[in-house]
Amino acid sequence: MRESGIFQPFFVILCLKQGLFMKNNRPLILISNDDGYHSKGINMLIDMLRDMADLLVCAPESARSGYACAFSATIPLRLKLRRKMEGVEVWSCNGTPVDCVKLALNQFCTERKPDMVIGGINHGDNASVNTHYSGTMGVTMEGCMKYIPSVAFSLCDHSDDADFEPLRPYVRTFTQRVLTEGLPLGVCLNINFPLVEEYKGVKVCRMAKGTWGNECVKSHHPRGYDYFWMVGSYTNDEPEAEDTDNWALSQGYVAITPTQIDVTAYRALEMLRSWER
């Protein structure tokens, strides 16, 4: 039956208003990072995936490295639409990476839940204990805690103009597999790419045991007070172990580390049973 002249324009306006967030046959991927919406890594990720899915990007307005799973409890947050094109919307937020995910889900995804959350592509690796500090992993953990299949992509290159093109076939393949096969409940993927001319292959591995040292540099300000820079140097505490992310990256392999939300130390449960009353 033909729509009336009144209903038809209203329907068209409604469709235009809903845009990206209307339900359709394409998957929806929510993307964020900790380098900022303007970074090359996140914009290359958009370019790699825009033909595979609708992309909702909500990322910090400036760099937020090291924010891990932090969220803003004491400051008001703002959203700003930065770019809109067919199948892609890019928003910025003045908060943390986790703020970006929470806001995007709350404000834009009430009618259409993302099929996947992706953090990255990060400038710099997030292997070993860096997982706990990474805002990119904060994005991924937040998505995982919302029961959405989630993945973090990172390249071992801190350069603002890092070359992300070699990652393209791997990012597309991994993304498609997660969209198709899903992930176990409570598990997300931390995927790191080495800085090499050619990848040897892909290794699924565990997190290496490592530590950061010399983390604080003290300086004296001309106005009479001391201040500190957080810097440091990383040490792989098990360099001979060949089943870790650090080893895989050092040998030129793409490292995939399955990471879980449940941080219970199960091996310690029985040891602590005697504490019960």
Side-chain angles (χ1 to χ4, degrees):
M1 185 171 66
R2 185 177 179 181
E3 295 89 346
S4 69
I6 295 176
F7 176 77
Q8 193 170 8
F10 172 78
F11 179 75
V12 172
I13 292 170
L14 180 63
C15 290
L16 290 173
K17 182 178 180 181
Q18 290 183 329
L20 177 64
F21 311 112
M22 287 186 64
K23 294 181 180 179
N24 57 41
N25 293 325
R26 279 162 57 90
L28 174 64
I29 300 177
L30 171 57
I31 295 173
S32 192
N33 71 352
D34 67 2
D35 293 311
Y37 78 94
H38 57 281
S39 69
K40 184 176 181 180
I42 200 170
N43 283 288
M44 283 296 296
L45 183 61
I46 294 169
D47 183 69
M48 293 174 187
L49 300 180
R50 61 178 302 184
D51 67 326
M52 295 174 55
D54 291 337
L55 306 179
L56 170 59
V57 181
C58 187
E61 63 185 11
S62 59
R64 298 288 192 274
S65 294
Y67 273 63
C69 289
F71 67 93
S72 300
T74 59
I75 63 169
L77 298 174
R78 301 183 304 277
L79 286 168
K80 183 174 182 179
L81 180 62
R82 297 288 183 170
R83 188 160 39 119
K84 186 173 183 178
M85 63 195 92
E86 185 176 357
V88 180
E89 285 192 10
V90 179
W91 294 78
S92 69
C93 170
N94 63 313
T96 71
V98 167
D99 288 333
C100 293
V101 176
K102 288 181 180 292
L103 277 172
L105 292 174
N106 180 268
Q107 294 297 304
F108 305 133
C109 300
T110 55
E111 300 297 325
R112 187 183 178 195
K113 183 179 180 179
D115 299 279
M116 186 174 177
V117 170
I118 298 179
I121 302 170
N122 190 65
H123 292 246
D125 83 270
N126 281 314
S128 185
V129 293
N130 293 341
T131 302
H132 297 292
Y133 301 115
S134 165
T136 302
M137 281 303 296
V139 167
T140 308
M141 299 287 276
E142 182 65 24
C144 190
M145 286 189 280
K146 294 292 191 291
Y147 307 114
I148 303 171
S150 301
V151 177
F153 293 118
S154 302
L155 173 63
C156 299
D157 188 349
H158 290 277
S159 170
D160 290 340
D161 195 33
D163 182 10
F164 294 94
E165 191 58 38
L167 283 62
R168 183 182 294 269
Y170 293 87
V171 168
R172 289 176 61 85
T173 297
F174 296 149
T175 299
Q176 187 58 60
R177 292 203 66 164
V178 171
L179 286 172
T180 302
E181 303 171 21
L183 290 170
L185 195 67
V187 173
C188 55
L189 300 182
N190 181 14
I191 303 180
N192 287 275
F193 293 83
L195 184 59
V196 294
E197 291 186 2
E198 185 175 353
Y199 303 129
K200 289 184 179 179
V202 178
K203 294 287 187 183
V204 176
C205 43
R206 66 176 175 87
M207 176 193 296
K209 296 181 177 67
T211 50
W212 281 88
N214 303 315
E215 296 180 272
C216 304
V217 173
K218 181 178 179 180
S219 299
H220 189 73
H221 197 278
R223 293 186 177 177
Y225 58 86
D226 293 332
Y227 64 97
F228 302 85
W229 286 105
M230 299 300 293
V231 287
S233 55
Y234 172 77
T235 300
N236 179 359
D237 294 329
E238 45 179 348
E240 304 304 319
E242 297 184 2
D243 62 342
T244 72
D245 49 10
N246 278 168
W247 185 90
L249 293 170
S250 70
Q251 299 301 311
Y253 290 95
V254 179
I256 301 179
T257 305
T259 305
Q260 64 183 18
I261 298 300
D262 184 355
V263 295
T264 305
Y266 286 97
R267 287 185 296 177
L269 284 177
E270 289 306 314
M271 182 188 76
L272 296 173
R273 293 298 184 198
S274 63
W275 294 27
E276 294 182 344
R277 290 189 177 186

